[in-house]
Amino acid sequence: MTEAKPQVNPRAFPSEMVLLLLLLTATVLLNVIFVAIWLSGIEHGGAGTFLQKLQTLLTPGIAVYGVYTAIRIRRSAPLSATGLDEANNAVNDLILQVSPPRRVDIRLGKHLGSRAYVTGAPRKPIIVLGPELLALHSMPGERKAVFDAVVRHELAHVHAGDLWWYQLATVLRFANLFTGFFALLALWFDVLLNRGSIASFLLSTFRVAALTLLTELIARAFLRAREHSADLHAAQYGVEGLLTAVRTRVTAQTRSVVRTWLRRHPGADERSQALTNPMRLLASPVGQAFLGATAAGAAFVTLQDLLLRGSTENKSTPVITGVVIGIPLTLFAAFALWRGAWQEDRNRLRPFLTAAALLSGLVIGSHLALYTRVSGLAPVGIPIAPSVLLPLVVGVLGLCWWLDVLGTSWRQSDPGAARVPAFLKFAIPSACLVGGWLFSVLWTWSARLRGVYLACPTEQGKAVPICQSSAPQTDIALKVARDFGFTFWSILTVLVVAATVVVPHHLRARTLRPVAFAAVAVLVTLAALWTTRSATPLDRARAEFRVVLDTSSPEALGTAARERQSTNSSVQAEALSALSCAEPDPLRGKADPDLPLVTCAADATEKFVLAPTSLSTVDIEDAEAEQTPSGYAVRLRFTAEGRQHWEELTRANVGKRIAFLVNDELLSAPEISQPLTGDSVELPGPFTSLDQARKFADAIRGS
């Protein structure tokens, strides 16, 4: 005799209905908010105009829902007033049996036939029953069971508070339809006023239709999940009547894939299979991952457009994108994979299918974004380039594989999902960290290449160094690798992934204490490594800022020589002061940075006496080569401490020259005309080409 497999309660996991409702809300608000921003931008209005447009777009949805509900109620009559006393008593008996939290008004819908539905306000629910359904209450056998099951199903909606969710979903659906119509109307007025072309209008029409259909598909997936949830509640009182009720509606059309996606209620065969095997509800359709990824792709590009504003160097934008898009999309995919991990006869290809759905949804959705006209740039979407798509494929596939391994590992030690709350406390923070970091990297990668495609064709953009590169994709890939390759968060992400894969296999205790201790140990180790790391990588060039004491005075040269004489008696003051530019300082490259230095300009026309070092490599965070109207330069970006030191240095030396040296080679000695603030400075040098300037920038950066 084989041991029975433990049956997992689908309600042990986060409700699929709640996840879909959150996705629907986010998608509709994305469309509505950015249409409101776009329309207020056309009128050159501020926050007041934006709020007015937002109200204009949301109000019709609420109004249409109210009218729609009122019409449905007016087409019905109170059951107690129809003379069907036996049917009324039968319904009331079922109400007493189920005991819903609120008083329910029962009405007769003369045109419903054998159907039924719940409507009204959430605090005053109304169940409308068709006459053919009511006629079953007095029939014996399966027909009476069908009547009881259908009424219990509608009462389950009331008991679970579904009217709140249904009301919100319906208002969002109507608001989304009205927003799409309003956007098309505004675009058509642009054409009539000669501010837009027919081609752009047709393209925008396609995008509006696609986004509206996307939202409607999400809404219908939510409504189907709502019906499954009500079935599970009603099945507590007996499943046979429900099975008989749904099987009477089985037709060949229920197996159509297109009709399944467009249906507001699950197909009869789908409901039957879920009732006989509730474990099927643990496996969310891969199509839902595609819907979520498509919505995330549209939000991805729209958020880019609002945050970038022509710049890809704002370091807060990857963090915002990782939190706003990366974490929610990761959790959406994670719950689908984790629910499927506990399903019987699970599909081993599910992580790969989910990754394919996420990849295709992200790319397609990013090219459906309509409202990037907020900043006057045409929508581009995620660049379809090998340098972007390859890391996107590897990153998303690795993420889905890891999430699936994480759920599978815990299922092996907990097949009945008895410890799912403990698993979620362990897995959700890990997924948030890994997913947020991954999408921050992918966002930065995509945004920088998108900036090249948008900015480089312009006259202003042609002066940007990246636009002059023969291989911009390679340059972007290397820069992203430098920014994210060896940081605190990247190391922490790798350790978290490794820990979550290893720990479940060896976890024997019934608590998470081993995991907690391991996490604390990892964090302490990382913090120690991070705080004690070398401030100056070994491969970085020695960069220095020194104040110019004098350029020609023999006395100054003699003073410098005498100070040097105290450290090296073999160098005489007279010999040092008589040095020509063809004979540089013998101690150059060997002297202590705290001592003055004598050096010459690159063209050998000037000799400089330099004070001890004021700023050094540790104060410089990054360096980039740039082309300026007068030639080529290196732009330095300071650390937080370096910025403060730079401000103090320039404020104390207004009117003086400050020399910038790399490995004791003088690159520039500009005069400080005023105190300089900001986290970067542009320094011209004796560069004859952009490649030469780039070599110095790479040396300073350490790459």
Side-chain angles (χ1 to χ4, degrees), residues 633-655:
V634 172
R635 176 169 292 277
L636 303 178
R637 183 174 291 106
F638 298 112
T639 63
E641 295 181 357
R643 175 181 177 179
Q644 182 179 357
H645 295 161
W646 174 250
E647 292 179 2
E648 294 173 354
L649 177 65
T650 56
R651 185 177 294 108
N653 293 279
V654 174

Side-chain angles (χ1 to χ4, degrees), residues 21-34:
L21 182 62
L22 291 174
L23 176 61
L24 174 65
T25 304
T27 306
V28 173
L29 289 181
L30 171 74
N31 294 340
V32 172
I33 288 175
F34 288 113

Side-chain angles (χ1 to χ4, degrees), residues 202-440:
L202 293 177
L203 182 60
S204 298
T205 301
F206 170 76
R207 289 195 173 104
V208 169
L211 289 173
T212 303
L213 177 61
L214 170 67
T215 308
E216 187 64 18
L217 290 175
I218 296 172
R220 290 174 183 264
F222 160 75
L223 294 174
R224 292 195 298 272
R226 173 176 173 264
E227 293 302 314
H228 282 308
S229 177
D231 277 348
L232 289 179
H233 282 86
Q236 296 175 359
Y237 300 93
V239 74
E240 293 302 324
L242 275 174
L243 286 174
T244 304
V246 299
R247 283 170 179 167
T248 57
R249 300 179 181 274
V250 174
T251 64
Q253 293 178 332
T254 60
R255 294 176 175 84
S256 169
V257 175
V258 176
R259 287 181 62 86
T260 298
W261 275 54
L262 295 176
R263 187 181 285 111
R264 296 175 64 244
H265 285 70
D269 52 350
E270 185 181 354
R271 293 180 67 179
S272 298
Q273 293 169 2
L275 285 170
T276 54
N277 182 15
M279 295 279 287
R280 290 179 59 88
L281 296 179
L282 293 175
S284 303
V286 176
Q288 291 184 7
F290 173 78
L291 294 177
T294 306
F300 185 84
V301 175
T302 308
L303 188 63
Q304 266 191 9
D305 188 77
L306 288 179
L307 295 176
L308 284 180
R309 298 287 178 165
S311 171
T312 61
E313 300 302 324
N314 189 346
K315 294 188 176 181
S316 64
T317 50
V319 177
I320 295 174
T321 307
V323 172
V324 175
I325 296 177
I327 291 178
L329 182 59
T330 300
L331 292 179
F332 190 78
F335 287 134
L337 289 168
W338 292 340
R339 290 166 63 92
W342 267 267
Q343 184 199 16
E344 289 181 349
D345 302 324
R346 57 187 298 269
N347 187 353
R348 296 294 180 182
L349 295 177
R350 178 166 291 274
F352 302 99
L353 295 176
T354 303
L358 293 180
L359 285 167
S360 56
L362 278 170
V363 175
I364 293 173
S366 69
H367 288 81
L368 293 180
L370 173 69
Y371 314 119
T372 54
R373 292 180 58 182
V374 173
S375 65
L377 298 176
V380 173
I382 295 176
I384 304 179
S387 63
V388 173
L389 289 183
L390 182 60
L392 184 65
V393 170
V394 173
V396 174
L397 184 60
L399 178 66
C400 291
W401 175 83
W402 168 68
L403 292 172
D404 183 70
V405 169
L406 187 57
T408 304
S409 300
W410 277 75
R411 177 182 181 271
Q412 292 175 355
S413 61
D414 183 25
R419 300 179 62 226
V420 163
F423 164 72
L424 295 178
K425 290 179 182 178
F426 168 79
I428 288 178
S430 303
C432 289
L433 174 65
V434 175
W437 177 84
L438 174 64
F439 278 92
S440 294

